[in-house]
Each structure stands twice: as C-alpha cells, then as structure tokens.
Amino acid sequence: MTLNLPLVGVLGFFAWAAVKYLGVRTWIVVLVALFGFWLSHTFLAPAIESGTRTGVTVINGSHT
C-alpha cells in the first residue's frame, strides 16, 4: 500500500504536536518557519532540497 503525504503537512503536524504536548511556544514555531523561508532564498537551498529528497527516498525504501 502506498501512502502519499505532503512533507509540509507532516511537519505541520509535528509543529502542532510540539505546541500542544511539549509546551513549545507558538512564537518559536513561527520563528522557525520564518527561518525556513529565509533559508530557501540562500545558496543552501539546493543542498537542503537534495538532502530532503534523499532522506525521503531512504525512508520510503525506494531507489530510483
């Protein structure tokens, strides 16, 4: 069985769970999200995107 989940949905769930169950303050989650948007406009963006794709491929166990 194949299950497709958008990565942003999974990360959003973890952020919600961190606020609700771990006591992380909402402003910290917002700050981290803004930092992610800032990082996406730097020279590190291609490396982060490639690493994310590789990690998802390893987790899925599919090698293409």
Side-chain angles (χ1 to χ4, degrees), residues 47-58:
I48 293 169
E49 194 267 340
S50 174
T52 303
R53 286 193 185 276
T54 302
V56 168
T57 302
V58 167

Side-chain angles (χ1 to χ4, degrees), residues 26-58:
T26 305
W27 70 268
I28 293 174
V29 173
V30 171
L31 188 67
V32 169
L34 290 174
F35 182 67
F37 281 111
W38 176 77
L39 265 180
S40 71
H41 295 291
T42 65
F43 68 95
L44 293 171
I48 293 169
E49 194 267 340
S50 174
T52 303
R53 286 193 185 276
T54 302
V56 168
T57 302
V58 167

Side-chain angles (χ1 to χ4, degrees), residues 5 11 13-14 17 21 24-25 28 30 34 38 41 51-52 60-61:
L5 292 173
L11 294 176
F13 172 76
F14 282 121
Y21 298 112
V24 176
R25 295 189 175 151
I28 293 174
V30 171
L34 290 174
W38 176 77
H41 295 291
T52 303
N60 285 337

